[in-house]
Amino acid sequence: MVKTQSSKRDLCLVCSLILNIFFLFKVGGEWNLSWSKRAASEAEAVAAISCSGHGRAYLDGLVLDGNEGPACECNTCYGGPDCSQFFPDCAVNADGGDPLFLEPFWMQQAASSALLVAGWHRMSYSYGDQSTISKELERHIRKLHDIVGNAATEGRYVVFGAGSTQLLNAAVYALSPDNSSSPARVVASIPFYPVYELQTDIFNSVDFQFQGDTSLWKNKSDSDTEVIEFVTSPNNPDGQLNKAVLHGPNVKAIHDHAYYWPHFTAIPAPADSDVMIFTLSKLTGHAGSRFGWAIIKDKVIYQRMVTYIGLNTMGVSRDSQLRALKLIKVVLATGGRGIFEFGHETMRKRWEKMNKLISTSKRFSLQKLMPKYCNYFQKIRGASPAYAWLKCEKQEDKHCYAVLQAVANITGRQGSLFYAEDRYVRLSLIRSQDDFDLLLHKVNELVVGEEGPQIM
């Protein structure tokens, strides 16, 4: 009797499941969406707000009094409720590293890149295997590097971090000696990314100290001192494919490859170093998702970095990992061709326009970047750097940042922040199209003052 009742319950359960599945489908085999309909409608309604093409509205944007939806957030030099008002006398922002040049690509991929997440998605601290790393995301990252050919991953370990920023200091910690009477010296080649110094100093560790320029340590004979060299390739700010300067048994290197993607540089060969760091922000443009990864050769260094990340933030947000997975899937759908061809073409054109303009100037100059063979594109390709490393050539223009602000109302990033002379200024080429167009216009006005009108 008990067995019969049990069989009836099982039969009812199976029938119920079949019935539920049946009602989930519409005629034609499409899913009959239920709880996700409202969220999808809200997302599409906000995405449809045009903001005159000079701004964006976001789901989490500020809702002003009297408005039903979020307000437009306008690009630099634009304002008004719909961003249609242009302010010609405003300061041009060429300072930040927001990779908004990729925004049009993702708007073209609206359907394939969209992500709708249930309220109960990944509420635990860890995944089912008790780790804080999505194995599926790791698998896709390895596949991406294999297709692009910019990093060796076989036999290596992968660590996730909150952008490359967290991973940089995790690597410094992992490579530093324990309980040493002498801290590791952290160095980088001028010009270098300011965060290397700022982040190393802010932790004020007894195990490592920032010591400035790599060249100062080239002829040091102190064999007991541990040295950690940051090697940035391509370099921020000048786009050069740097290599390690220091070598020896007490020298360790952290290779920052944030910009080692076909958008910004030719890929001559896979990077194959002991510690390599990448970031989603310069791959897909999603800087706000705060996701990066390190590829590590040595297991002990890997374990120390995992410990650091675990204690610092208990891993990376599961939501960020899910979004990264979705975005990388879109990239892989075309073997990378979609995003890399779009990105490279955009950056190449921007660099060519800026370079052509500055080449006619006697007051300013830019870094020299030669064409290189790219294994990914299978051809020699021209430069497409993320930044213009501008130099004021006149003897009296000792502070180029101040010159640009005073004469052209351009805000860049001064050379001294990169340990270089203040005759240099970094100008961002990766911001929105509005930002670049305004920058080019202002730079043209500078050059016009020397020789007359220029063709852009």
Side-chain angles (χ1 to χ4, degrees), residues 9-237:
R9 282 197 302 268
D10 291 343
L11 181 61
C12 289
L13 179 60
V14 171
C15 290
S16 175
L17 288 171
I18 293 173
L19 193 62
N20 284 330
I21 291 172
F22 174 79
F23 282 118
L24 278 172
F25 278 90
K26 286 183 178 180
V27 176
E30 295 181 359
W31 285 107
N32 183 13
L33 302 179
S34 54
W35 59 267
S36 63
K37 279 184 177 179
R38 180 177 176 182
S41 296
E42 288 175 352
E44 294 226 18
V46 172
I49 301 173
S50 71
C51 300
S52 300
H54 300 296
R56 293 284 173 263
Y58 301 98
L59 277 171
D60 59 353
L62 181 66
V63 179
L64 302 177
D65 291 341
N67 288 5
E68 292 184 4
C72 286
E73 298 179 20
C74 302
N75 295 343
T76 305
C77 298
Y78 288 89
D82 63 350
C83 302
S84 61
Q85 188 175 356
F86 177 59
F87 304 111
D89 297 325
C90 78
V92 174
N93 183 359
D95 177 27
D98 283 338
L100 296 174
F101 76 102
L102 286 170
E103 188 182 58
F105 171 81
W106 290 108
M107 293 180 73
Q108 295 168 11
Q109 311 299 319
S112 60
S113 64
L115 191 63
L116 198 152
V117 184
W120 58 90
H121 172 76
R122 295 288 184 194
M123 294 174 65
S124 174
Y125 283 116
S126 60
Y127 290 93
D129 61 359
Q130 301 307 305
S131 78
T132 57
I133 289 180
S134 164
K135 294 298 185 289
E136 184 67 1
L137 176 54
E138 180 185 339
R139 185 176 71 84
H140 279 75
I141 286 172
R142 290 178 184 272
K143 183 178 179 181
L144 176 64
H145 283 299
D146 184 54
I147 288 174
V148 177
N150 64 341
T153 63
E154 187 174 354
R156 311 296 175 94
Y157 302 93
V158 176
V159 184
F160 293 170
S164 61
T165 306
Q166 185 184 36
L167 290 163
L168 292 171
N169 205 71
V172 170
Y173 161 80
L175 293 171
S176 298
D178 275 332
N179 303 317
S180 174
S181 58
S182 178
R185 271 51 173 183
V186 182
V187 298
S189 294
I190 295 174
F192 58 78
Y193 182 42
V195 169
Y196 299 153
E197 177 187 18
L198 296 173
Q199 189 169 232
T200 304
D201 286 349
I202 201 170
F203 282 95
N204 196 27
S205 173
V206 298
D207 294 326
F208 49 83
Q209 293 177 0
F210 194 81
Q211 294 288 301
D213 185 22
T214 303
S215 64
L216 300 176
W217 290 82
K218 288 177 74 172
N219 299 315
K220 293 282 184 178
S221 58
D222 185 359
S223 59
D224 294 329
T225 302
E226 298 281 343
V227 179
I228 300 171
E229 180 185 358
F230 278 113
V231 182
T232 319
S233 182
N235 193 37
N236 176 3

Side-chain angles (χ1 to χ4, degrees), residues 270-318:
D272 190 19
S273 306
D274 291 353
V275 178
M276 302 179 287
I277 295 176
F278 295 85
T279 173
L280 189 73
S281 68
K282 300 308 183 288
L283 164 62
T284 69
H286 293 81
S289 292
R290 307 311 304 138
F291 180 78
W293 63 94
I295 301 171
I296 312 297
K297 184 179 289 186
D298 185 82
K299 187 175 182 179
V300 173
I301 301 303
Y302 159 75
Q303 289 173 334
R304 284 173 63 85
M305 288 186 70
V306 169
T307 298
Y308 177 98
I309 300 294
L311 291 173
N312 190 237
T313 56
M314 296 188 72
V316 180
S317 160
R318 309 301 172 265

